[in-house]
Amino acid sequence: MMQSQIDFALATPEILLLVFGLAILLVDAVSNHPERKPTFWLTMLALGVLTVVSVMQWNAGVKGKTFNGLYVTDELSHLLKIASYVAVAVTLVYGRVYAQVRDMLKGGELYVLTLFALLGQMVMISSGNLISIYLGLELMSLALYALIALRRDNVVATEAAMKYFVLGALASGFLLYGMSMVYGATGHLDLAEVAKVIAAGKAEKMALVFGIVFLVSGLAFKLGAVPFHMWVPDVYQGSPTAVTLILGGAPKLAAFAITLRLLVDGLHGLAADWQPMLMILAVLSLAIGNLTAIAQTNFKRMLAYSTISHMGFVLLGLMSGTVAGKPDASAAAYGASLFYMLTYVLTTLASFGIVLLLSRQGFECEHIDDLKGLNRRSPWHAAIVLLLMFSLAGIPPLVGFYAKLAVLQALVGAGHVTLAVIAVVFSLIGAFYYLRVVKVVYFDEPAADAAPMVASAGQRAVLSVNGLLILVLGILPGGLMALSVQAIRSSLNLL
């Protein structure tokens, strides 16, 4: 088989997504009936086809590098891409009615921009080179900037888009500057070659350490970690809720992927330099995220600060990888962090799904008080909220408890007992604001003007499955955890 054929065979999902995106763009351009556009179903078809292709590639053991090392296909990329497809599909199911009643579908940009953001995430997930990481990041970011400002007549949304654009450009500058310093110190853009130069001791150490500082700062922004978190609550609150979920779901998986590629694959020889940085970011995120969330009355803002605190746990898992000499311990630590990220995204989808379900024409379900008396209006959806909040708080037997336990075990195994204690203390503090939501749902009287819940059967069904998965994966977490550890072990350089 010719090299060009191998290149395109490995990159089949990206090529298919590009084709579907252009087809949807064409359908939007020629359609004279905005309300009847089949773009939603075309988008869901695209995501379904991509999922099938990625599963087939994974089962067939397809892996390798292509386009001169710019693009990597391995178990980690298969797992994260499939999770991204599912996250985007669930997001669009939840947000379809919300977007429709707010005239966000007339131009057709929502689905096209979402798919192009997904394309950027896929490039990030499969990046094996500093250039492809940056290209994927910018493709995703530009689409997200436009999505946040999609309601052009909404002042709050346009303000959120401007904040995200300015701070996102700053973070991209950090990353690009760090990458340039890594290139200058090693003479390579390919992550595997960077790792070889570092292992051989031929790199300029001082320039590399400065480069790592800028890289970690840029990655922390994309993950929403303190002190680079200032955009998260404002953008989450200001964006249309459907876009907030697009922003808070699959992009987190892509940001996690480039963090692994850069720090573990490319810079694992300098783990002693970047692990302390992650430790500081993690502790600050746990502290600021949980303490500030207590004071929030806006539900979307509370979930934003909750996100910041959970990124602290993800970073604790990443900094627990011992890397040198203990590949099994490293795989367990990074696998725990990957498991945490996957289950966090799953929980986030359902959390904002509830918000979208309760929102209606002329009413945004944004405040915690908007959930008052939900148990009397819909006991089933109140039970789902209960599961979600308990899982985020880390209460057994839900998946959030097992995810936290896995990270804590990795911390203790790496000798960071004090950090494990700090993480537990802040988790206990965080339980307060999650339990407050449960109290509002079950014990407060519903508002006098509370309208009946209006949602499609598909939205209710997906939300129910989403909520039940939180319980099922908490009781039976072994399969997903084994997949996570195996993906890490087979894909990353842990020696």
Side-chain angles (χ1 to χ4, degrees):
M1 185 180 291
M2 295 176 60
Q3 183 60 42
S4 60
Q5 292 175 315
I6 296 174
D7 290 344
F8 287 110
L10 289 175
T12 299
E14 284 79 3
I15 295 169
L16 284 173
L17 181 56
L18 186 58
V19 171
F20 272 110
L22 294 174
I24 292 170
L25 197 60
L26 181 62
V27 169
D28 279 325
V30 301
S31 176
N32 295 321
H33 301 283
E35 293 80 10
R36 301 178 193 171
K37 289 181 181 179
T39 47
F40 172 78
W41 296 110
L42 279 174
T43 305
M44 298 305 290
L45 175 63
L47 295 170
V49 170
L50 291 171
T51 303
V52 171
V53 169
S54 291
V55 169
M56 290 174 63
Q57 285 187 332
W58 194 356
N59 289 336
V62 174
K63 59 176 60 178
K65 294 185 177 182
T66 187
F67 298 114
N68 295 317
L70 289 170
Y71 182 93
V72 177
T73 298
D74 52 27
E75 287 195 33
L76 179 63
S77 68
H78 292 317
L79 175 60
L80 287 176
K81 284 180 185 178
I82 292 169
S84 298
Y85 306 149
V86 173
V88 171
V90 171
T91 298
L92 294 179
V93 170
Y94 289 155
R96 185 188 182 194
V97 174
Y98 177 96
Q100 197 167 25
V101 299
R102 285 159 181 79
D103 293 331
M104 293 171 62
L105 300 181
K106 284 188 175 180
E109 299 98 336
L110 178 68
Y111 298 124
V112 175
L113 287 171
T114 300
L115 287 183
F116 281 119
L118 177 60
L119 180 60
Q121 294 156 29
M122 293 165 68
V123 174
M124 291 166 69
I125 290 169
S126 284
S127 293
N129 188 289
L130 296 176
I131 290 178
S132 52
I133 287 176
Y134 190 74
L135 287 175
L137 179 64
E138 287 306 296
L139 176 57
M140 178 190 76
S141 298
L142 290 172
L144 291 178
Y145 299 151
L147 278 169
I148 294 169
L150 199 57
R151 297 183 69 186
R152 290 179 287 273
D153 57 342
N154 188 299
V155 176
V156 178
T158 51
E159 179 187 350
M162 184 60 70
K163 287 179 180 177
Y164 188 48
F165 172 73
V166 172
L167 295 174
L170 181 64
S172 296
F174 280 172
L175 268 175
L176 197 57
Y177 190 66
M179 289 175 179
S180 68
M181 297 191 78
V182 170
Y183 174 68
T186 63
H188 292 282
L189 293 169
D190 186 272
L191 294 176
E193 295 299 323
V194 168
K196 288 179 183 178
V197 172
I198 293 173
K202 298 179 180 179
E204 178 59 46
K205 181 69 181 292
M206 185 63 68
L208 269 179
V209 172
F210 274 109
I212 289 173
V213 171
F214 284 101
L215 286 176
V216 170
S217 299
L219 293 171
F221 177 91
K222 297 305 177 183
L223 289 170
V226 175
F228 305 97
H229 68 291
M230 63 290 290
W231 64 274
V232 180
D234 290 341
V235 174
Y236 272 41
Q237 180 183 357
S239 304
T241 306
V243 177
T244 302
L245 186 48
I246 293 172
L247 178 67
K252 287 288 188 288
L253 298 173
F256 180 78
I258 62 170
T259 303
L260 286 176
R261 301 288 189 196
L262 281 169
L263 299 184
V264 181
D265 248 3
L267 302 169
H268 64 277
L270 298 172
D273 295 301
W274 54 258
Q275 283 179 335
M277 300 179 199
L278 296 189
M279 178 186 69
I280 295 170
L281 293 172
V283 173
L284 288 175
S285 298
L286 286 169
I288 302 297
N290 283 310
L291 292 175
T292 312
I294 293 174
Q296 304 305 312
T297 57
N298 185 288
F299 191 44
K300 288 167 69 176
R301 263 187 108 77
M302 190 207 82
L303 289 175
Y305 282 107
S306 167
T307 293
I308 294 167
S309 70
H310 287 290
M311 291 307 103
F313 260 98
V314 171
L315 292 173
L316 286 178
L318 288 174
M319 60 85 53
S320 300
T322 51
V323 180
K326 296 182 179 179
D328 289 339
S330 297
Y334 297 134
S337 191
L338 174 56
F339 179 87
Y340 197 105
M341 183 61 85
L342 289 170
T343 55
Y344 163 75
V345 169
L346 181 68
T347 311
T348 295
L349 290 172
S351 299
F352 281 102
I354 286 288
V355 176
L356 289 165
L357 188 75
L358 293 175
S359 298
R360 57 185 184 275
Q361 180 72 44
F363 172 74
E364 295 282 344
C365 177
E366 286 198 352
H367 296 277
I368 295 175
D369 285 348
D370 293 333
L371 299 172
K372 281 184 176 180
L374 179 60
N375 184 49
R376 301 191 182 182
R377 298 166 61 193
S378 175
W380 174 245
H381 292 102
I384 292 176
V385 172
L386 175 73
L387 290 176
L388 295 172
M389 295 301 107
F390 278 13
S391 180
L392 289 170
I395 297 175
L398 302 169
V399 72
F401 167 76
Y402 187 82
K404 284 183 168 61
L405 178 63
V407 171
L408 293 173
Q409 286 175 332
L411 275 173
V412 173
H416 303 298
V417 178
T418 303
L419 283 177
V421 172
I422 291 173
V424 170
V425 169
F426 281 118
S427 291
L428 291 174
I429 293 172
F432 171 80
Y433 57 85
Y434 295 123
L435 294 177
R436 182 179 61 185
V437 174
V438 175
K439 175 256 181 188
V440 167
V441 167
Y442 277 90
F443 299 105
D444 285 11
E445 292 293 328
D449 59 346
M453 297 170 62
V454 179
S456 66
Q459 190 179 26
R460 292 173 182 267
V462 172
L463 184 61
S464 299
V465 172
N466 197 167
L468 290 174
L469 275 175
I470 303 300
L471 177 60
V472 172
L473 287 175
I475 298 171
L476 302 170
L480 183 56
M481 177 58 82
L483 276 179
S484 300
V485 174
Q486 175 57 29
I488 293 292
R489 182 180 286 115
S490 67
S491 305
L492 300 182
N493 184 3
L494 302 177
L495 298 177

